[in-house]
Amino acid sequence: MQDTVIESKAPTAKTVQVERTKKTTKTESNAMNAKRSPTEIAESITETVGKPLAQNAKLAMRNVNVHYDQKQAVFDVNLDIAENQVVALIGPSGCGKSTFLRCLNRMNDTIDICRVEGSIQLDGMDIYDSKLDVVPLRARVGMVFQKPNPFPKSIYDNVAYGPRIHGLVNRRADLDDVVESSLRKAGLWEEVKDRLESPGTGLSGGQQQRLCIARTIAVSPEVILMDEPCSALDPIATAKIEELIAELSQNFTIAIVTHSMQQAARVSNRTAYFHLGRLVEVNETEKVFTNPDHELTEAYITGRFG
Amino acid sequence: MTSPNNSKPLSQQAALVQKSLAKRYASERRFKAYGLASVLFGLCALLVLFVEIFGGGLSGFKTTQVALTLELDSDVLEVYDATNPDEILAGNYTGVIRNALKERFPDATGRKEKRALYSMISVGATYDLRDQLAADPDLLDTSIDVWILADDDIDTYYKSLSSVPYAERMSDKQQQWVQDLIDKQEIRTIFNTRFFTSGDSSEPEMAGIRGAIMGSLLTMMVTLLLSFPVGVAAAIYLEEYAPKNRLTDFVEVNINNLAAVPSIIFGLLGLAIFINLFEMPRSIPLVGGIVLTLMTLPTIIISSRAAVKAVPPSIREAALGIGASKMQMILHHVLPLAMPGMLTGAIIGMAQALGETAPLLMIGMVAFIMDVPGAITDPATVMPVQIFLWSDSPERAFVEKTSAAIMVLLMFLMFMNAMAVLLRKRLERRW
């Protein structure tokens, strides 16, 4: 998805001037009603408007660039995610927000051609340090994926898997407690408590996604990354998950990628708008949706393109 | 496109579509018919094969016996103490049987006729008699009525009497004697247990498949134990760990090439390396198993890689995302999901190895071996090689043995395939 973003060689340093090589499409120029197309505007962005940095940053990203082979997907992003905050990453398809999110627990390591530059710090610890072990990192920074992906095991085993492999609990009774509390936190306990041994893949889509969330929080991560967690769900299941995110934000730091602006508005404290790999604007969610600082953000949230 | 009640005339385009429909459906029917014809052709071929083999081979599971009254005279036998194993071993059982035959058919006169008479009984009968006496020493100096094993010529002749009598190797006198036995109901066919309990023999009536079955089982055991772990490990490494570069491309191409190498080449390789270079003994299941391992490895690697590749990436991401190490991801998630596919590949490879003859000829498993092998270092032969050997033998009675052995081999193959299906079902049922 992300690797189709940029065709021209894009500037990486802040001083490089815009390359106006891309042809603008009709819709884009109509939408913008200005001389410059959104593409050109995006490519000229060198600095994020709004307040990308925060005081008590849990995750601090500085000058993050991501390349897929020759193609650059994320340009020079600076962003802080504060503790117990929900940050929504929005933007049109292929703008690099998922790629960026996957950098935060090094899931991009599994993609051979992906290269990440810059610094990403979790509580001041550089997670791209070559000596760092990704296993404990991913225990601290959990992830919920776009498509519900429970293991083809029982509901109980799905939730117990993380604590088991990390050796968090030793006794069966403790494990039972962890499973129950995780499922309760994920709002799934009442629905599945009588069939913990039945396969997780037999649940409905929304239940599966909540099971995945339960599985993620079973290892008590500090940060939860959510990559469009509701894109495969119906509105009712979506509402449940959103409720859940609101509850989880009391204990966890959450970064969520979403295509639904209503969702971003409902669940997040701060919103970051990405366009063509650039972080255009970061502000309080309310400000982004009522009075955005950047023209691209405004165009996107008012539905003029995207 | 057409209106449901045909009230409106069809538009020009709809009419064109209608016109082409008949043609389209006709070609569709033809397409279906080709497929059905192919399936029917395959089934017919299978039916012909089965009729041919079962028709000729079922009699191979039967053996002919003749009733005789034997005088176990200690003077003739030269056995005076039937509890002494040495004496039992050296006993003259042939003499006893010959005396009984002379008694039964007093019209046999002259050396030639007597020899013809004696040749009607298998040499195996003397061993049976010896075993009987060893088991029950009290029989010494008594007279017993027993059914003893007939010679293969009698066997073939007697079995063929119901259709076209085959008497090429039977003298007129012998045919008379057989007729006399039939009239007095002193000849019968019974289930040939010896076929399943003894090894090969140059006498068809004494030859059995057990040696070959054991040889095959031992060879398959070596093959499975070597090829499955190695194949699965190689597949997992290539799919999960190996960097994608020219070297791995080269390895992949060559695995595919190896799968297409004629099997006799592997036999030559085994001969050159294991027997000539490492000086391992010939004709043993260990070497046979190693050679067949080389042959089946590409099959197992290719199918295992396909099975690993088919595991959805979302499961891998889920495992990694929760902090599983790569090995945990593979052992806990990828391997269990890929196992049914891997097992199918392994069993197909094993079935292929079970039916393989050519490479084993090169490493000496084609030798004539009478003993049933008990270990992977005992000289042995395998079922397909045994079939090859028997089909090559001049004795008429080996024809039905060949068919019977083919049936046993087919039985094993069907059993293995059934196992594959069963295992896959069982493992897949764990959702």
Side-chain angles (χ1 to χ4, degrees), chain B residues 109-247:
Chain B
T109 49
R111 223 158 68 94
K112 208 174 164 191
E113 276 193 359
K114 276 186 182 161
R115 218 169 60 204
L117 181 63
Y118 299 156
S119 76
M120 285 173 59
I121 297 300
S122 164
V123 287
T126 59
Y127 307 138
D128 290 343
L129 188 55
R130 185 188 67 200
D131 293 343
Q132 204 175 351
L133 187 60
D136 189 1
D138 293 339
L139 291 178
L140 196 60
D141 287 322
T142 60
S143 165
I144 51 170
D145 290 321
V146 285
W147 287 95
I148 60 173
L149 190 61
D151 189 64
D152 60 299
D153 289 334
I154 305 296
D155 182 55
T156 310
Y157 174 69
Y158 179 62
K159 282 176 186 165
S160 69
L161 279 178
S162 56
S163 52
V164 188
Y166 177 82
E168 303 256 319
R169 290 176 57 81
M170 299 283 287
S171 68
D172 292 342
K173 201 80 186 175
Q174 278 177 316
Q175 290 184 36
Q176 271 177 32
W177 290 328
V178 171
Q179 194 54 51
D180 187 45
L181 286 168
I182 294 171
D183 293 343
K184 295 195 172 126
Q185 291 189 333
E186 288 176 350
I187 186 166
R188 65 170 186 183
T189 59
I190 61 154
F191 182 72
N192 189 356
T193 41
R194 193 186 290 267
F195 186 67
F196 293 100
T197 54
S198 65
D200 197 9
S201 168
S202 53
E203 302 294 331
E205 74 276 10
M206 291 172 64
I209 190 89
R210 190 189 175 91
I213 290 177
M214 283 307 291
S216 272
L217 287 180
L218 290 168
T219 310
M220 286 302 105
M221 194 182 73
V222 172
T223 308
L224 184 68
L225 287 182
L226 287 176
S227 64
F228 190 63
V230 173
V232 168
I236 285 178
Y237 177 79
L238 287 173
E239 274 308 313
E240 301 284 346
Y241 289 102
K244 302 274 171 287
N245 57 24
R246 287 205 165 168
L247 185 72

Side-chain angles (χ1 to χ4, degrees), chain A residues 63-203:
Chain A
N63 304 331
V64 176
N65 286 291
V66 184
H67 297 258
Y68 290 109
D69 245 346
Q70 299 300 314
K71 285 176 190 157
Q72 188 163 4
V74 172
F75 295 83
D76 220 14
V77 169
N78 292 286
L79 179 66
D80 280 348
I81 298 175
E83 189 141 14
N84 292 359
Q85 218 179 35
V86 180
V87 172
L89 311 178
I90 60 169
S93 285
C95 69
K97 52 196 187 308
S98 288
T99 300
F100 179 70
L101 189 78
R102 289 167 61 94
C103 291
L104 304 185
N105 70 345
R106 291 185 57 175
M107 281 304 284
N108 282 337
D109 287 12
T110 54
I111 303 166
D112 288 339
I113 56 168
C114 183
R115 205 171 74 244
V116 181
E117 288 160 6
S119 103
I120 300 177
Q121 293 188 333
L122 174 67
D123 285 337
M125 171 190 78
D126 185 5
I127 68 166
Y128 276 87
D129 190 331
S130 57
K131 289 193 202 97
L132 183 120
D133 187 356
V134 294
V135 168
L137 171 71
R138 287 179 187 149
R140 291 178 67 188
V141 184
M143 187 152 190
V144 177
F145 297 86
Q146 187 170 357
K147 226 181 82 190
N149 54 356
F151 298 129
K153 297 175 189 289
S154 71
I155 293 171
Y156 184 93
D157 287 338
N158 259 286
V159 182
Y161 183 68
R164 265 188 196 139
I165 59 167
H166 293 302
L168 299 182
V169 284
N170 295 321
R171 291 187 304 131
R172 173 83 192 188
D174 292 344
L175 195 59
D176 289 347
D177 289 345
V178 170
V179 169
E180 180 176 342
S181 72
S182 304
L183 283 169
R184 272 189 200 284
K185 277 186 219 158
L188 196 59
W189 175 252
E190 290 303 323
E191 289 159 60
V192 301
K193 64 180 176 191
D194 298 324
R195 46 172 177 150
L196 288 175
E197 293 310 318
S198 58
T201 41
L203 297 171

Side-chain angles (χ1 to χ4, degrees), chain B residues 1 23 32 43 47 53 57 60 96 114 118 196 201 254 318 323 342 361 400 415:
Chain B
M1 257 183 227
K23 221 171 148 189
K32 230 167 80 182
L43 281 179
L47 201 71
I53 290 173
V96 172
K114 276 186 182 161
Y118 299 156
F196 293 100
S201 168
N254 279 292
M342 288 176 167
L361 302 184
E400 57 180 31
F415 174 72

